Amino acid sequence: MTTPEPLIALAGIRRAFTQGGVTSEVLRGISLTIHAGEFVAIVGQSGSGKSTLMNILGLLDSPTGGTYRFAGQDVSSLSREAQAELRREVFGFVFQRYHLLPGVSARANAQLPAVYAGMGGEARERRAAALLERLGLGDHLDHRPDQLSGGQQQRVSIARALMNGGEVILADEPTGALDSASGGAVMDLLRELAAEGHTVILITHDPAVACIARRVVEIRDGVIVGDSGDGEATQPPPAPAARPERHAPALFALSEALRSALTALAGNPFRTALTLLGVVIGTASVIAMLAIGEGTRRQVLARAAATGTDWIVVMPDNDNPALPGGRMTLADAQALAMLPNVKAVNPGRWTTVTLTAGAVSVRSEAFGTSIAYPETFRWTTRKGAFFTAEDDRAGAPVMVLGATVAARLLPGVADPSGRYVLANGIPFLVTGVLEPKGPDERGMDRDDRVVLPLSTAASRLIGSSDLGGIQVTVKDTGHLAETKRHVRETLLARHRMEDFFINDMASRIAELAQTQSAMAGLLAVIASVSLLVGGIGVMNIMLMSVTERTREIGIRMAVGASGRDILSQFLAEAMILAGAGGVAGLALGLAVGVGAAVAMDLSVVFQLKAIALALAGAVGTGLLFGYMPAGRAARLDPVQALARE
């Protein structure tokens, strides 16, 4: 009869550990073959190397010498991911200390290997329940480990070992922490599994426990000193139970990632809340600052556009008319009025005046202009009427008050029309009050002014007919650039030098929009700094979490979690943490924005794009700052992680 190839073949396996510069060899050339279906007990005293051997057999540890072939394949050629897949698909571990996840039910512990194998949720639930019922735990499915006895916890670990089929059961001192009755029950279970076709490898220091195995291998000081069998199958082993149906293994089941993340975060709510605070403040700052910045931008642009975008302004390039050039006259305005596409021309000149009415005196700006003022600036009178063309031709001492001036100069007077006020000591008749406009894009009060005929301002207040500027209203804004060119050419021909500059409201508004957008972006960048600080907090708590949960990571690796699975889990935790902070920050940011609008009379505009950007930034911060801790967790050595308290 042809001897079948051994399932496990060890040749010259060595394992040395170095600590503090001192190297000690635990395994000293182990050669061992085990066939499928065998029930083998590896027995030896503490320190003999039997647990180290089991860790190597279960791919939790790697030898420093020799070869290990499983089903004919050299396992040293397998990547960490491939070794994790082999642990997940073939091996089932039963540990002396059970190594169950705290805080979750027996059912959840039992089905953990199937999560990494890609088994569907309902199928996992059914199989875990069936295994636990078979092991006498049908009434304890939802009990946590701290609600179970030692024997019950060990049976849960056996159910977990069988979850993915458990072709090879590795039991490390499975009765070491149990009383005799519970220990006997566990050994009976292992005997039954061996009879069903599972390959069972039992690690024990107790010869009485080892004697139930069909084969006993004794190890002492890192070498095999006795073997009751020759390592060959004497008869075909019974066929093991069929593996449960499952899908292709995924990186990590989302439901398990979410459950694990929420459990971990809920375990220390105060620390979690403090960590969330940084993300909450950062997200709220971004949302509130973007909303305030956008509201301010729109408000500024609305104020700038309130006077229309269909006009061009021409200003002298020298404020001192005594110097050569830099003068602009009514003749210039008349020449510009003759250009094509020009609807109206409004010349003007500013000066400062002292206004007096009774015992009240105020300082304000006076604007000498033409009757085209209301049309050019889209600014009508609220009370009374604007001055007339006749007033302008006659240089009549009349003026129209801005709303702020009227309120300060003539408080309590509903309609100042028909009253006289003094401007620099000269009496002027008030013909009306302008509609209030509020502050301009620079925050200046546009209602703090008076308007009077240009001829009156020149003769009575300024003493010069030179203009401070000309506003040219166009008929068709589609030809605005062409009209600007005509204005420039006309003035160059008249002045023989470019002692003026030209601007238009459309360009001005575009410049304002660019400036305001830059300001809003700067506010967002400043606010994002706090979000980065929150991200650093996420990284800190995740590093602490990896340290505190090292043994849990080892358990997950032992049942088949790959490095990618662990990476996905901790990244999911970081993103959930940051995402929760982002949602809370959204609520806070909305509240701050609304509060600013009410308390400070600010214009606040919440944009869906900005909100989505802030939330994405929060989650992205969790992803970015969670990657290093997650990568650290994924690189942990399984056997060292399991040994961590």
Side-chain angles (χ1 to χ4, degrees):
M1 182 176 65
T2 303
T3 302
E5 182 180 27
L7 182 65
I8 293 172
L10 305 180
I13 292 294
R14 295 179 176 274
R15 182 64 171 102
F17 296 92
T18 301
Q19 187 173 9
V22 178
T23 300
S24 57
E25 196 169 35
V26 177
L27 298 181
R28 305 167 183 267
I30 296 289
S31 296
L32 178 68
T33 57
I34 299 175
H35 286 76
E38 281 198 273
F39 186 0
V40 180
I42 298 176
V43 64
Q45 297 300 315
S46 297
S48 60
K50 59 185 186 301
S51 293
T52 300
L53 178 59
M54 189 207 76
N55 290 332
I56 291 174
L57 290 173
L59 305 181
L60 296 175
D61 197 8
S62 300
T64 51
T67 59
Y68 172 16
R69 304 184 72 84
F70 183 88
Q73 184 176 22
D74 187 351
V75 299
S76 65
S77 65
L78 300 177
S79 65
R80 280 174 60 98
E81 302 299 312
Q83 290 186 14
E85 181 181 358
L86 197 58
R87 287 196 301 271
R88 179 172 63 242
E89 299 294 330
V90 175
F91 292 103
F93 292 89
V94 181
F95 298 101
Q96 176 182 358
R97 298 173 60 188
Y98 325 129
H99 286 325
L100 301 178
L101 295 182
V104 300
S105 67
R107 189 198 325 248
N109 268 288
Q111 65 180 282
L112 188 60
V115 172
Y116 298 103
M119 188 184 299
E122 292 185 5
R124 291 200 313 263
E125 293 280 340
R126 288 195 302 270
R127 179 164 176 79
L131 288 170
L132 290 170
E133 288 173 2
R134 173 190 172 185
L135 298 175
L137 295 174
D139 295 332
H140 299 79
L141 298 180
D142 297 318
H143 288 200
R144 299 187 304 273
D146 60 0
Q147 297 172 320
L148 301 173
S149 68
Q152 290 170 330
Q153 291 186 62
Q154 194 62 289
R155 279 181 276 169
V156 172
S157 72
I158 293 174
R160 182 180 62 191
L162 297 173
M163 189 67 194
N164 286 349
E167 180 179 336
V168 179
I169 303 295
L170 294 169
D172 184 14
E173 299 281 8
T175 63
L178 304 179
D179 57 56
S180 57
S182 298
V186 168
M187 295 311 301
D188 289 341
L189 286 172
L190 293 177
R191 188 184 293 110
E192 290 178 17
L193 294 175
E196 292 172 1
H198 296 272
T199 302
V200 179
I201 302 174
L202 171 65
I203 307 296
T204 182
H205 69 281
D206 189 347
V209 172
C211 69
I212 71 167
R214 303 189 191 107
R215 176 184 173 193
V216 177
V217 175
E218 185 179 359
I219 185 171
R220 185 186 304 156
D221 295 329
V223 296
I224 293 176
V225 296
D227 188 345
S228 65
D230 56 9
E232 296 183 359
T234 56
Q235 58 182 356
R243 294 184 184 180
E245 181 181 354
R246 52 186 177 267
H247 307 290
L251 284 180
F252 187 72
L254 179 59
S255 60
E256 175 64 16
L258 294 175
R259 185 208 61 76
S260 175
L262 294 175
T263 300
L265 297 176
N268 197 328
F270 183 70
R271 185 175 69 185
T272 301
L274 288 178
T275 305
L276 283 176
L277 190 60
V279 180
V280 170
I281 293 175
T283 306
S285 299
V286 171
I287 291 174
M289 290 299 98
L290 285 176
I292 293 172
E294 178 63 18
T296 302
R297 185 186 74 86
R298 294 189 183 186
Q299 188 178 53
V300 167
L301 295 181
R303 288 171 178 170
T307 55
T309 59
D310 57 349
W311 51 272
I312 301 166
V313 62
V314 183
M315 305 286 288
D317 202 15
N318 189 339
D319 290 336
N320 189 347
L323 295 178
R327 297 183 62 193
M328 198 158 290
T329 65
L330 279 172
D332 292 328
Q334 292 166 356
L336 296 180
M338 303 302 294
L339 294 176
N341 196 39
V342 172
K343 181 179 181 181
V345 170
N346 184 57
R349 177 74 180 267
W350 286 98
T351 189
T352 303
V353 295
T354 300
L355 302 170
T356 305
V360 180
S361 291
V362 298
R363 293 281 291 177
S364 185
E365 298 291 325
F367 186 48
T369 185
S370 72
I371 59 171
Y373 182 90
E375 180 182 9
T376 301
F377 294 98
R378 291 171 173 79
W379 206 337
T380 59
T381 54
R382 181 183 64 181
K383 300 289 184 181
F386 205 76
F387 58 79
T388 65
E390 179 61 31
D391 292 330
D392 193 10
R393 284 192 296 271
V398 295
M399 65 173 51
V400 182
L401 305 181
T404 298
V405 174
R408 293 168 57 200
L409 191 62
L410 298 165
V413 178
D415 185 1
S417 302
R419 290 177 175 261
Y420 280 89
V421 299
L422 298 179
N424 292 349
I426 302 172
F428 278 78
L429 175 65
V430 176
T431 64
V433 178
L434 294 171
E435 285 282 353
K437 285 280 189 176
D440 62 11
E441 66 274 10
R442 297 168 299 175
M444 305 296 291
D445 186 2
R446 289 183 291 182
D447 299 316
D448 187 10
R449 69 175 64 188
V450 295
V451 181
L452 63 156
L454 178 60
S455 59
T456 305
S459 61
R460 297 176 183 266
L461 298 179
I462 302 172
S464 170
S465 60
D466 287 343
L467 303 179
I470 303 172
Q471 280 78 32
V472 180
T473 305
V474 301
K475 298 175 182 177
D476 183 1
T477 55
H479 295 87
L480 186 64
E482 182 182 356
T483 304
K484 284 178 64 176
R485 180 171 55 81
H486 288 158
V487 168
R488 180 176 180 273
E489 292 172 352
T490 299
L491 292 177
L492 279 174
R494 290 181 59 80
H495 292 203
R496 293 185 173 83
M497 67 176 67
E498 194 163 353
D499 56 351
F500 56 87
F501 58 88
I502 304 173
N503 203 351
D504 64 88
M505 281 306 297
S507 299
R508 187 179 177 189
I509 290 175
E511 291 172 1
L512 282 171
Q514 185 176 7
T515 301
Q516 290 299 316
S517 296
M519 289 298 296
L522 180 61
L523 288 175
V525 169
I526 294 172
S528 298
V529 172
S530 57
L531 189 58
L532 290 176
V533 173
I536 294 173
V538 171
M539 181 172 65
N540 286 337
I541 193 175
M542 293 306 300
L543 285 171
M544 292 175 64
S545 181
V546 170
T547 301
E548 294 171 354
R549 296 162 57 196
T550 298
R551 192 162 70 93
E552 175 196 331
I553 296 169
I555 294 171
R556 291 181 181 276
M557 288 181 167
V559 301
S562 66
R564 287 179 300 178
D565 294 329
I566 300 300
L567 180 70
S568 300
Q569 174 187 348
F570 280 86
L571 280 180
E573 291 187 21
M575 292 171 68
I576 289 171
L577 184 67
V583 172
L586 168 61
L588 180 60
L590 294 175
V592 169
V594 172
V598 174
M600 305 173 64
D601 196 26
L602 293 176
S603 177
V604 177
V605 176
F606 294 103
Q607 293 181 292
L608 184 60
K609 179 175 69 174
I611 292 174
L613 178 65
L615 291 177
V619 176
T621 297
L623 180 63
L624 175 66
F625 286 94
Y627 190 83
M628 187 183 77
R632 178 177 174 181
R635 292 189 297 271
L636 285 175
D637 183 79
V639 70
Q640 292 181 4
L642 279 171
R644 185 75 62 86
E645 291 296 333

